[in-house]
Amino acid sequence: QAGLTQPPSVSKGLRQTATLTCTGNSNNVADQGAAWLQQHQGHPPKLLSYRNNNRPSGISERLSASRSGNTASLTITGLQPEDEADYYCSAWDSSLSTWVFGGGTKLTVL
Amino acid sequence: EVQLLESGGGLVQPGGSLRLSCAASGFIFNNYAMSWVRQAPGKGLEWVSSISDSSRNTYYADSVKGRFTISRDNFKNTLYLQMNSLRVEDTAVYYCAKDSGDHDHWGQGTLATVSS
């Protein structure tokens, strides 16, 4: 099953803005959107954004998600040291009837 | 508070079997689909399998189809993953996740190691 495409790494400075991307196709991202997950080393993933781009309770307003066609984006403003983590996107593929994940983006805060 | 607690991981030889469990609490278990997602050492997340709230529908990744079986006991609030014919490449931390339309809560994971 083909996964979603994410850049392997992104580096930004403290208090800068990072935009992470996730590219799929008409059967997954374009169809129902993509969710975003954050994972710190040694910890389980944590949901940051639902596929409808809404944030779960307790997630910082510095994070916002959007979608344009086959590409979903996660924007993090005012980068903090604790934002340094791996970020994954996920989507339901309506053609394959499977979940698909991106390969993950390692965000480094300089 | 939603809690998901996986167990059953361990070391097994290639060709062997393991049964993973995920004990759920803090939500109405039989109202939600559930999933297993794994992460090989140093790698990304890989979806393994999902099951609907009533167990009517099950879904599998091609990499495990025919070898793994997902099931649930809604009376015991527990999710299972029976893993047979295990391969070295199945070595991973296995997470269970609550599926509310997205994977909104995750357990801490259990490590399954397949090695001779």
Side-chain angles (χ1 to χ4, degrees):
Chain A
Q1 285 127 340
L4 308 177
T5 301
Q6 297 183 251
S9 63
V10 169
S11 297
K12 290 288 184 180
L14 195 63
R15 294 182 294 277
Q16 288 189 331
T17 295
T19 298
L20 312 182
T21 60
C22 167
T23 302
N25 60 40
S26 59
N27 296 315
N28 43 60
V29 175
D31 185 18
Q32 297 183 30
W36 287 92
L37 301 147
Q38 177 191 59
Q39 186 179 35
H40 287 105
Q41 183 72 27
H43 291 270
K46 175 183 179 181
L47 183 69
L48 298 179
S49 174
Y50 294 102
R51 285 182 288 165
N52 62 8
N53 298 326
N54 290 335
R55 287 186 305 272
S57 173
I59 300 301
S60 172
E61 292 180 354
R62 296 187 296 108
L63 279 67
S64 63
S66 62
R67 177 186 54 163
S68 177
N70 293 343
T71 299
S73 300
L74 178 71
T75 298
I76 309 172
T77 60
L79 283 169
Q80 299 298 310
E82 59 265 30
D83 296 324
E84 189 162 290
D86 294 322
Y87 292 79
Y88 296 91
C89 57
S90 69
W92 176 255
D93 192 297
S94 55
S95 174
L96 300 173
S97 292
T98 65
W99 283 96
V100 287
F101 281 85
T105 296
K106 182 176 183 60
L107 175 63
T108 300
V109 180
L110 302 172
Chain B
E1 178 192 4
V2 172
Q3 290 195 344
L4 299 168
L5 183 61
E6 302 95 336
S7 60
L11 175 63
V12 63
Q13 292 187 337
S17 298
L18 280 175
R19 189 195 195 201
L20 306 184
S21 299
C22 171
S25 62
F27 65 101
I28 301 174
F29 184 69
N30 59 14
N31 280 0
Y32 293 92
M34 297 291 294
S35 294
W36 288 100
V37 178
R38 69 184 180 183
Q39 187 169 35
K43 302 296 184 181
L45 301 173
E46 179 190 13
W47 172 77
V48 173
S49 182
S50 295
I51 186 168
S52 63
D53 52 2
S54 65
S55 302
R56 176 179 298 180
N57 298 309
T58 58
Y59 309 91
Y60 297 94
D62 286 346
S63 58
V64 307
K65 199 172 293 183
R67 301 187 298 123
F68 290 12
T69 302
I70 191 171
S71 63
R72 62 192 294 164
D73 185 331
N74 284 348
F75 293 103
K76 294 183 178 179
N77 288 353
T78 302
L79 175 73
Y80 303 101
L81 186 67
Q82 178 67 43
M83 305 191 297
N84 298 332
S85 303
L86 282 162
R87 305 167 180 168
V88 170
E89 55 266 34
D90 294 319
T91 294
V93 173
Y94 285 75
Y95 296 102
C96 70
K98 172 176 167 281
D99 183 352
S100 63
D102 290 297
H103 297 112
D104 60 355
H105 288 86
W106 297 65
Q108 292 296 314
T110 186
L111 175 63
T113 303
V114 185
S115 174
S116 54

